[in-house]
Amino acid sequence: MKRGIYLVANHKSQKLCANLIYSIRESGCLLTIYVIHFGGKKIDSTYILNNVEYLMPEEFSQKALNFISELRTVLMDCPLGYLYRFLPLFHDCDEFLYSDNDIVALTNWETLFSYITDYDIVHADEEYTTHGRFNHDKPEEIKNIFGPHALEAAITAGHFVIKKSDKIVEDMRIAMSWFKSNPEIPKKHDQALLHIASLIGGWKALNLCKPPNNWLSSWSGDYRNSLHLITSINSEIKRSISHIHFSGSVPKGNLPMEDLLLSNLSNKSRLNTYSMSWSKEHFAINLISGKIKKIKRRLIRIFKTSIANK
């Protein structure tokens, strides 16, 4: 039984990726870490390259690349690199953990594999509390089609442990067909497809944040600062936590919890990062940049919709 951890990164995301790898190793995990090249400029971090097996997408089988091409025809809201998280379904590991870069490991992730024996997928998040609004344009339709508890089966695609199997791949292909038949319901991204595939395939899924395990939320937005996180872990009813995920936007370094993303830096580098973050916040660079990105996303969405309707 071969196990491993897969990340997808490039030069742009390598600072986050380096901190993630540092946190994985500091938590005691010794599993092999594979980094798949996202696209664009390649990673040149010596720390990363010395601690991982760096893979190019073209190193995967033609079967794997064909599957990504199939996904690309349906998941139009996803940059191609995001879809590379599914390449490990065709690689060497029988069971693997996939993680986004904007994550900090808070426990030895080898522990998570101890739960996968009786399940197809294991995750630790509270996506099930969002009522489907981040996965679907018409979440109520998901309940009408798949049952009243369908939205509670949501999975955050940024962090999960999964068993490699032909069935998982086939269920995702069926989910692609479902997307094409119901284009008005799901958002066209990988997390929505993972959710639909799990419903169609009746996956045995374990969410460690649900009873009876009741692990702490892995979303950074549920904590005011690092002290709040520590006191939550050490409360009277001690609860486990797998990781912290800074999802929802690109971390800018201006929030208290984001100090966890700088754990691998020297004192000088960390202070320089804080100084840069202060400058961007003070001169409203973050605000302006965020608005420009929103406008670009809307224009791209309008363009893709117009092309699809022709």
Side-chain angles (χ1 to χ4, degrees):
M1 181 66 68
K2 188 173 181 180
R3 294 168 169 171
I5 295 171
Y6 288 83
L7 318 176
V8 178
N10 60 7
H11 189 273
K12 185 177 180 180
S13 61
Q14 71 176 1
K15 288 183 179 180
L16 287 174
C17 185
N19 187 73
L20 169 58
I21 293 167
Y22 176 81
S23 71
I24 293 171
R25 293 305 186 219
E26 282 293 298
S27 297
C29 181
L30 299 177
L31 292 173
T32 300
I33 300 174
Y34 303 87
V35 173
I36 302 170
H37 179 52
F38 178 90
K41 187 176 179 180
K42 294 180 181 179
I43 288 171
D44 59 12
S45 163
T46 303
Y47 174 79
I48 294 177
L49 297 176
N50 286 342
N51 280 277
V52 308
E53 291 193 23
Y54 195 31
L55 303 171
M56 296 294 112
E58 54 268 26
E59 294 181 52
F60 288 82
S61 67
Q62 191 58 51
K63 184 178 180 181
L65 297 177
N66 290 343
F67 182 67
I68 299 303
S69 296
E70 291 176 53
L71 288 170
R72 190 74 172 130
T73 64
V74 175
L75 305 180
M76 296 172 288
D77 290 346
C78 267
L80 179 60
Y82 284 19
L83 303 182
Y84 292 161
R85 76 186 68 208
F86 298 121
L87 283 173
L89 289 169
F90 302 87
H91 203 234
D92 296 341
C93 294
D94 304 292
E95 300 169 352
F96 67 87
L97 184 152
Y98 167 79
S99 177
D100 282 351
N101 292 295
D102 58 344
I103 279 176
V104 178
L106 296 181
T107 192
N108 185 337
W109 284 353
E110 292 179 58
T111 303
L112 298 176
F113 286 90
S114 66
Y115 292 92
I116 196 71
T117 304
D118 298 321
Y119 295 93
D120 299 307
I121 189 167
V122 173
H123 57 115
D125 58 72
E126 294 190 352
E127 190 67 36
Y128 68 95
T129 66
T130 63
H131 308 292
R133 66 181 183 276
F134 299 118
N135 285 344
H136 308 288
D137 292 322
K138 295 182 177 181
E140 288 301 313
E141 287 301 308
I142 299 297
K143 292 197 291 185
N144 292 337
I145 296 169
F146 294 103
H149 301 293
L151 295 177
E152 296 171 21
I155 301 165
T156 296
H159 190 277
F160 56 84
V161 179
I162 196 166
K163 284 180 180 175
K164 186 174 71 174
S165 73
D166 292 337
K167 181 182 183 304
I168 293 291
V169 173
E170 184 57 29
D171 289 340
M172 292 179 69
R173 282 200 169 96
I174 297 171
M176 285 186 242
S177 297
W178 187 91
F179 266 55
K180 292 175 182 178
S181 300
N182 301 275
E184 74 287 356
I185 298 177
K187 295 182 184 298
K188 310 305 185 295
H189 60 59
D190 45 10
Q191 184 163 293
L193 186 124
L194 199 61
H195 181 209
I196 295 301
S198 71
L199 293 172
I200 287 173
W203 294 359
K204 292 181 180 179
L206 174 64
N207 186 344
L208 291 167
C209 288
K210 289 183 177 181
N213 294 289
N214 296 311
W215 284 30
L216 286 168
S217 169
S218 55
W219 184 49
S220 63
D222 284 330
Y223 304 95
R224 296 186 298 276
N225 48 49
S226 300
L227 179 61
H228 183 206
L229 171 62
I230 293 169
T231 55
S232 298
I233 295 171
N234 293 320
S235 60
E236 287 186 21
I237 304 175
K238 291 190 176 182
R239 297 167 64 187
S240 299
I241 186 168
S242 167
H243 61 282
I244 285 292
H245 193 177
F246 294 83
S247 59
S249 62
V250 177
K252 301 179 180 66
N254 59 333
L255 299 176
M257 279 290 290
E258 291 178 357
D259 56 358
L260 292 172
L261 294 170
L262 311 177
S263 300
N264 66 319
L265 300 182
S266 66
N267 289 340
K268 183 177 180 180
S269 296
R270 188 170 62 256
L271 288 173
N272 288 338
T273 301
Y274 284 141
S275 297
M276 184 65 70
S277 298
W278 179 87
S279 298
K280 289 182 177 180
E281 193 72 13
H282 182 74
F283 295 107
I285 295 173
N286 288 334
L287 179 64
I288 295 169
S289 176
K291 289 186 176 181
I292 290 173
K293 287 179 180 177
K294 282 184 179 179
I295 292 171
K296 283 184 177 179
R297 284 197 296 268
R298 286 176 184 169
L299 290 175
I300 290 171
R301 196 173 293 118
I302 291 170
F303 175 75
K304 286 181 177 178
T305 302
S306 64
I307 292 296
N309 291 335
K310 283 184 178 180

